[in-house]
Amino acid sequence: MKTSVGIEALAVALPRRTLHLEDLARARGVDPAKYVAGLGVREMAVADAGEDTVALAATAARRLLEANQIDPATIGLLAVGTETGVDHSKPVASFVQGLVGLPRHMRVFDVQHACYGGTAALMAAAEWIASGVAGGKSAIVICSDIARYGVKTAGEPTQGAGAVAMLVSAHPDLLSFDLGLNGTSSAHVFDFWRPLGRREAVVDGHYSIDCYLEALAGAYREWRGKAEARELVRRGASALPSEQLAALAYHVPFCKMAKKAHGRLRRCDLDDVLGAFDEGREEREAASSFERQVAHSLTLCARVGNVYTGSLYLGLAGMMQEGAAALAGKRIGLFSYGSGCASEFFSGVVGTAAAARIQRAKLNEVVGSRERITVDEYERLMALAADRPPEIPPPPGGFRFTGIHEHRRQYSAG
Ligand code: COA
């Protein structure tokens, strides 16, 4: 089995418009500190007419191909993780294959399991390459979603949208996976779901946080056991096993979730490794290890909001943008959670070319070029019919849904 497999490059696509959470809080009569400090979110991306899951995914894929000068003939698998697809049968991946001109001889499919679908796709792609059956070809995995809970709901400040496209290959310049170490934890629970025909998710918000944290503890403990067996982390060292990871990225439906997750992760180590510990001291140490290990992964997420499948990978992108050079050669941990639920804790080593690769994604430009909208405009967009065509043409390099002709969804390229 080849062990050097992982993410070679990534690219991000976001809706062109963004709503500041302070504005939303004032309009809802809520203290802005609840959204900004309490939930940890500064802005949320708002999808415009024509910016559907396919358009975002295809825009991210095109950016990935162009910025990294990828020959489409080298791609043998395209998988999209999404829970907001546009058809009950035809996958988002199939639209993307056609829109960006990928070859005919390849595997093309979507994976659905709430926010975990992108990770399932990523691991399928990585293990396909590691097994040798890819025959030297690479894969593209895209996480694309529009997170929608609805106007004036408890979930309203935790919406967002976007897509992250990743090139998965045997040249993992960004992150080489520790294949075989992944820990998983899944259960049949109703914490969040979206019955057929509904645009908005049904969510038991506080219960979903409990489900997330329980899954994290199970998946992390399984990963830790395997990592200890391979002597990648050690008990009895001066640092806890989780502190032996240079950085951590967690799935973030809202950024404060990362703080809750990090506290729970450390508690697994404290309970299992130390047994007894001082609560006051742990509070201080958790806060400082959060700043050291996790804060970097939230810079982009705090300005985009929830991207469901893409949130963890937007976190990875933010972490790379902030600190790829310092992380080169070091091991990091990632936690993926999808309601329902399925979860996975995995790790990898950051590549020495990571800083150069992430620059190609031009993330400051992608995030910084968006237009701030008013709450009135956000509410107008939320009230638009799902399949309304765009009011403006796609930007250069981007795609837009343009309407339905004889039951066939149409897209145009800018
Ligand atoms: N200043 C600062 N912080 C404040 C505040 C204020 N004025 N008012 C409240 N807060 C804090 C709360 O203490 C809480 O923080 P804590 O969880 O660390 O204690 C946070 O803001 C949220 O407040 P809460 O009352 O729990 O919010 P809520 O009941 O409106 O719901 C969610 C929050 C996340 C449950 C809700 O937005 C939701 O359902 N989101 C969708 C589901 C989701 O994202 N699930 C995650 C797992 S996948």
Side-chain angles (χ1 to χ4, degrees), residues 31 33-34 37-39 149 154-155 157-158 203 205-206 208-209 212 251 253-254 256-257 260 337 339:
D31 179 355
K34 173 174 175 180
L39 295 174
Y149 293 100
T158 65
V203 61
H206 291 282
S208 74
I209 294 173
Y212 176 120
H251 166 58
F254 53 96
K256 179 74 158 298
M257 193 67 222
K260 294 176 190 286
Y337 176 80
S339 291

Side-chain angles (χ1 to χ4, degrees), residues 333-371:
L334 298 98
F335 177 66
S336 175
Y337 176 80
S339 291
C341 69
S343 74
E344 201 149 332
F345 191 97
F346 58 102
S347 60
V349 176
V350 175
T352 48
R357 279 288 183 176
I358 202 69
Q359 269 188 9
R360 297 190 198 180
K362 297 191 172 139
L363 295 169
N364 285 336
E365 211 174 285
V366 173
V367 175
S369 61
R370 298 171 305 156
E371 175 199 346

